Amino acid sequence: MSKIEIPQEMLHKLGPAMAMDVHWIDVKLKNGKTYYRLVVRGSRYITGFHTDKDGIGRIPFSSKDIKNIRRQSAFKCYPFW
């Protein structure tokens, strides 16, 4: 299980929980890659993808790789930011 901490300066972008203490976010990495619909638990830790059982799985990056986050986008066809 991954437990990647969101950098402190980005936590305000989470907004209110979408379900009981769960957020879904999109993450943009410093290398330009984008990951969509990641699960955040505890209002601080990325634990997996929305398709993982209970939102718990392996994440292919670390906290230091995160460039920006936003609440889940409904459409992937729009520019990231």
Side-chain angles (χ1 to χ4, degrees), residues 38-52:
L38 299 174
V39 177
V40 176
R41 301 217 181 233
S43 297
R44 169 163 261 167
Y45 299 100
I46 301 170
T47 59
F49 291 91
H50 76 285
T51 54
D52 294 332

Side-chain angles (χ1 to χ4, degrees), residues 10-68:
M10 295 180 198
L11 289 176
H12 71 278
K13 295 180 179 186
L14 287 178
M18 296 173 159
M20 295 182 73
D21 197 34
V22 175
H23 302 267
W24 291 279
I25 64 170
D26 299 334
V27 175
K28 187 171 190 175
L29 303 181
K30 292 176 182 174
N31 67 7
K33 285 189 177 182
T34 308
Y35 291 93
Y36 298 93
R37 299 180 74 189
L38 299 174
V39 177
V40 176
R41 301 217 181 233
S43 297
R44 169 163 261 167
Y45 299 100
I46 301 170
T47 59
F49 291 91
H50 76 285
T51 54
D52 294 332
K53 182 174 169 59
D54 295 327
I56 298 172
R58 294 195 40 84
I59 303 292
F61 58 87
S62 68
S63 183
K64 67 179 189 288
D65 298 326
I66 298 173
K67 179 178 180 180
N68 208 347

